[in-house]
Structures are given as structure tokens and as C-alpha cells.
Amino acid sequence: MAPKVSEEHKEQRRLSILTAAKEIFTEKGYEAFVMQDVIEATGMSRGGVYSYFANKEDLFISLLEHKQQQSSNELDTLISQNKIWDTIKMIVLDFKNAEHSDNQFAAAQVEFNILSRNSSNAKEFLQRRYQWASDFLCSLINEGIKRGEFSPNAPVHHIARYYITFFDGLSIESIFLKSQELNSDEQIDLFLGHLGSMLGVK
Amino acid sequence: MAPKVSEEHKEQRRLSILTAAKEIFTEKGYEAFVMQDVIEATGMSRGGVYSYFANKEDLFISLLEHKQQQSSNELDTLISQNKIWDTIKMIVLDFKNAEHSDNQFAAAQVEFNILSRNSSNAKEFLQRRYQWASDFLCSLINEGIKRGEFSPNAPVHHIARYYITFFDGLSIESIFLKSQELNSDEQIDLFLGHLGSMLGVK
DNA sequence: TATAATAATGACATTGATGTCGTTTTAATT
DNA sequence: AATTAAAACGACATCAATGTCATTATTATA
């Protein structure tokens, strides 16, 4: 006559699956991840997990959406309190100091991008996500222009995409190279120089 | 008392497997490729194919080695007949005009890079290969310096790696985006500008 | 033409992951 | 305490791919 548990409880469950999944995706990457892992990690049953997420793809997309929501909020406050160029530098340099696990998860994401190219669901999601990232960067740059910090010498959306490309490239390579073989720090410095000159930072 | 067939014949067979495999890797990507595909495409038997290549990984690595040998020769003549900067521009701009299938194969390569991060065999191969590419670019730049074409404002090997990173990034993105969504042409132009300025082209 | 070495075949055992579904358990309501 | 809606369980059928190996076919030599 009544639902067995509260919405809250279900949300809790969902979250605990997502949390466990994130850890496993980070550790093993996307392809190697199997549902069994999440079943063991949460202690739930096969059917239980499947009642929350239809499959691995659904699980991963939900995870990305969840993360996106979080970081979106954080960024808003960051921007309101700092110069745009300082914010950008902060984000970029964060990549240098990122936890190993952050890089590992970024790798899993790249892997997902690639492996999902034949899934129309995932592809649509990825295109939206790319668009979102690109738009976000554009709006960041435009805000900088409005505030008089930048006068770019290339179309804003090209700069934004160049930015994304560079970090996608770095993400892949960090998968199979140690950061000193890759010279990622130095590459990031070079990139930051180019970014500054494209934006015409004053 | 005699081997059944000539070395030539075996080499021929090997080559025909590689050729078929390349086409399939291009079409389907690395992960989706299964040995059955190559068996059907060549008309050989399962055991036959396996007697030439131990598994998918072995097949793909052999394919890359074969390709590398080919392009290495082509490049040598290119360099001897042109200015280094013109050669570099040619290579970069080739990316713009590349056949769709070339991009597709590049995507399969990126996929291989990522999926093979837990295979020590493949990882070692990839590290060697990255080193080779990086060294090749370095020697290209150094030749340019010797000829008085360049005076770079950053360490040569950082420039080389930056180059590789950019194209790796572009390869990934071209997997799930059309080139006009990606603005790959414009990104390449931006990149070429940065490359020119890093190299101090005269 | 016989034979010996080996290339080529394809059926098969094995593995591992997936998603489903009939059953059992649980807890909110009466 | 009894009822009942639905949450959770886990055994299972299914599928797809892998690599092996006993058998068969082939061809260069004797």
C-alpha cells in the first residue's frame, strides 16, 4: 500500500553506486570496468544495481552529469571573485598539480569518448557536452572582453576549441607516458603563453 | 623434405592479412575489430590467420610498424628536397585535406593507445613509438636550425611534444565531431601560427 | 610417383560478461 | 499484527569472442 522506501533513500542508493563506480572507472578505465565490480563494491545485488542504471554507458553518463553539475557551481563563484585571466590560469595550472586519480579519471573519459562513437546515445551526449564546454569557455572569454581584460586576435570559439583540443591531447598521452617523459608541465607553460597571446591579455 | 611454400609466399600472405586488417580497423575502430572480420576478409581460416599473428594486439602493432617503415622513407626524400619549414607546413596542412579514412585510422590508433594501457607489450611499443615521433620532430627542427631557418624560443623537445599533443587531441575529437563543429581547419591555422613563433621561423 | 615437411583448416572447449525475471525480503500503511 | 507495494536478490539463459589442436591438404624434393 505504500512505497517501500523514501525518495531520499533511493537517491542515497543511487549516489552510493555512483561513488563506487567513479572509483572503479578511475582505477580500471572505462573498457575494463564491468558491472560485477560495482556490484561487489557496493555490496548490492546484480538486479539491484541494474534497477538504478540500465548498463555501463548509462552509469557513466550519469556520473559525468553529476560531476558537471558540481563543478559548474564551483566555477560560478570562482569567476565572480577573480579576474578572468587569473581564473583561467588557475584552471590550467590546476592540471599540473592534479591528483593522479584526477588524471586517471580524465583518461577514462577520453576512453569513453572513443569507445562510444558508435552509440547514438552516447554520441549525442558527448556532442552536447563538448558544446557545453566550448560555450562555457566562450562565455568566460567574452566576460573577460567585457571587463576589458582581453582583446583577442582570433575568433573566440576557435580559441575555446583550441583549448579543449590541447587538453584532450594531454589526457591521452598521460595515459601511457609518465609526466616527465611527456613534459606536461612545460607543454602547459607553452600553451598558456599561446593562450595569453591569442586572448590579447592586457 | 622441403618447406611447403617459399618465404615470398608467406610474406605475401602476411601482407594480405595486414592490408585487410587495416581496412577493417579503419572502418570499425580498434575495439570493435574482431579476428573473425579478418578471417572473412582474407578468406583464410581461423588457424591460418593465428599462425601469422598471435592476436589482435600483435596484428595492430605489426601494422603500425609496417606503416612507420613506409612513411619514414617518404619523409626522407621530402626533407632533402624542400625547406624544413615548408615540409612541416606540408605535413600539417595535409591533416586538413586528409582522406576521411586516414582520420578514421588515426582514431583507431588513439583507441589502441588508450585500450592498451594495461598491456605491457603494447605500452612498451607505444613509448618507443612516441619517442621515435618526438625524436623525428626534434631532428627535423634541429636540421632547420642548422640550415639557418629557425631560431626557436623554447627547448626543441618541448616544441616537438607540444606538436604531438595537439594532433592527438584533434584526432580524438574528430571521432565524435564533424570537422565543422570542431573547426579543425581553423584550429590547425592557429596551431601553425604558434608553431612558427616557437620555432622563430625567419 | 612417393614422401616428408609443413601450411592451412575449422570444430571445439573455454571464458567472461550481459541483462532478465521469478522469488524473497522489507517496511510503510491499515 | 496483517497486508501489500515495491525494493532487492541472485541464479540463469544467452551471446560473442578467443585461442587451440587434431586433422587434412599441399607442394618441394628425392
Side-chain angles (χ1 to χ4, degrees):
Chain A
M1 206 163 248
K4 189 184 160 196
V5 295
S6 64
E7 275 312 301
E8 246 171 301
H9 174 262
K10 288 214 282 182
E11 187 53 29
Q12 208 55 36
R13 223 77 220 265
R14 211 182 118 86
L15 225 60
S16 80
I17 296 175
L18 286 177
T19 308
K22 185 180 172 191
E23 212 159 291
I24 299 158
F25 278 124
T26 302
E27 226 171 82
K28 305 183 65 171
Y30 184 77
E31 210 264 332
F33 172 109
V34 290
M35 286 307 238
Q36 190 61 32
D37 294 330
V38 120
I39 288 161
E40 276 161 24
T42 55
M44 289 178 73
S45 67
R46 189 160 200 81
V49 172
Y50 270 94
S51 79
Y52 284 90
F53 300 97
N55 49 41
K56 176 158 89 162
E57 178 179 302
D58 182 28
L59 185 44
F60 195 76
I61 288 181
S62 303
L63 187 53
L64 289 185
E65 275 167 346
H66 182 251
K67 274 175 64 86
Q68 179 169 322
Q69 213 157 20
Q70 287 183 315
S71 66
S72 201
N73 297 339
E74 287 171 25
L75 276 169
D76 282 347
T77 57
L78 208 60
I79 294 160
S80 64
Q81 294 168 0
N82 295 281
K83 284 205 166 186
I84 299 292
W85 179 236
D86 289 338
T87 306
I88 290 177
K89 276 198 294 188
M90 210 178 304
I91 298 170
V92 168
L93 295 175
D94 257 7
F95 208 91
K96 275 194 187 179
N97 312 316
E99 298 260 341
H100 181 63
S101 77
D102 287 340
N103 290 331
Q104 287 286 103
F105 187 77
Q109 248 176 280
V110 172
E111 199 180 344
F112 172 73
N113 290 357
I114 290 180
L115 292 177
S116 301
R117 67 173 175 281
N118 295 319
S119 153
S120 56
N121 250 351
K123 203 169 166 179
E124 201 195 324
F125 169 78
L126 284 171
Q127 286 168 350
R128 263 208 321 280
R129 191 182 163 81
Y130 181 82
Q131 199 59 51
W132 176 85
S134 166
D135 288 349
F136 170 78
L137 282 172
C138 284
S139 70
L140 201 57
I141 297 169
N142 284 325
E143 175 67 19
I145 296 171
K146 213 169 70 186
R147 294 197 197 164
E149 286 185 49
F150 304 148
S151 60
N153 58 24
V156 170
H157 66 289
H158 295 163
I159 300 177
R161 279 153 202 203
Y162 189 88
Y163 179 107
I164 297 172
T165 297
F166 174 74
F167 282 106
D168 275 347
L170 221 48
S171 288
I172 296 186
E173 288 163 5
S174 69
I175 289 173
F176 60 97
L177 292 174
K178 296 188 193 70
S179 84
Q180 69 261 40
E181 290 169 319
L182 177 55
N183 292 119
S184 55
D185 286 0
E186 290 83 355
Q187 287 197 47
I188 289 172
D189 290 338
L190 285 176
F191 170 73
L192 208 53
H194 298 152
L195 187 59
S197 96
M198 284 189 285
L199 292 175
V201 179
K202 286 162 190 171
Chain B
M1 206 164 247
K4 188 184 159 192
V5 295
S6 64
E7 276 311 304
E8 247 171 299
H9 174 261
K10 287 214 281 182
E11 186 55 29
Q12 208 55 37
R13 242 26 266 253
R14 213 183 116 85
L15 224 60
S16 80
I17 295 175
L18 286 177
T19 309
K22 184 180 173 191
E23 212 160 292
I24 299 159
F25 278 125
T26 302
E27 227 170 82
K28 305 182 68 172
Y30 184 77
E31 210 266 331
F33 172 109
V34 290
M35 287 306 237
Q36 190 61 33
D37 295 329
V38 121
I39 288 161
E40 277 161 23
T42 55
M44 290 178 72
S45 67
R46 187 160 201 81
V49 172
Y50 271 93
S51 79
Y52 285 91
F53 300 97
N55 49 41
K56 177 158 89 164
E57 178 178 301
D58 182 28
L59 184 44
F60 196 75
I61 289 181
S62 304
L63 186 54
L64 290 184
E65 274 166 347
H66 183 250
K67 274 174 63 86
Q68 180 168 321
Q69 214 157 21
Q70 287 184 315
S71 65
S72 201
N73 297 339
E74 286 171 25
L75 276 169
D76 282 347
T77 58
L78 207 62
I79 293 160
S80 63
Q81 294 168 359
N82 295 282
K83 285 203 165 186
I84 299 293
W85 178 237
D86 288 339
T87 306
I88 290 177
K89 276 197 294 189
M90 211 178 304
I91 298 170
V92 168
L93 294 175
D94 257 8
F95 207 91
K96 274 194 187 179
N97 312 315
E99 299 260 341
H100 181 61
S101 76
D102 287 340
N103 290 330
Q104 287 287 102
F105 187 77
Q109 251 177 278
V110 173
E111 198 179 344
F112 172 73
N113 291 357
I114 289 180
L115 292 178
S116 302
R117 67 173 175 281
N118 295 318
S119 153
S120 56
N121 251 351
K123 203 169 166 180
E124 199 194 326
F125 170 78
L126 284 171
Q127 286 168 352
R128 264 208 322 280
R129 191 181 162 81
Y130 181 82
Q131 199 58 50
W132 176 85
S134 167
D135 288 349
F136 170 78
L137 282 172
C138 285
S139 70
L140 201 58
I141 296 170
N142 284 325
E143 174 68 17
I145 296 171
K146 212 168 71 185
R147 294 196 197 166
E149 285 185 49
F150 304 149
S151 59
N153 57 24
V156 170
H157 66 289
H158 295 164
I159 299 177
R161 280 154 202 203
Y162 188 89
Y163 179 106
I164 297 172
T165 297
F166 175 73
F167 281 106
D168 276 347
L170 220 49
S171 288
I172 296 186
E173 287 163 6
S174 71
I175 289 173
F176 59 97
L177 292 173
K178 295 190 194 68
S179 85
Q180 70 261 38
E181 291 168 317
L182 178 55
N183 291 119
S184 55
D185 286 0
E186 291 83 355
Q187 287 197 47
I188 289 172
D189 291 337
L190 285 175
F191 171 73
L192 209 53
H194 298 153
L195 187 58
S197 96
M198 285 189 284
L199 291 175
V201 178
K202 285 161 189 170

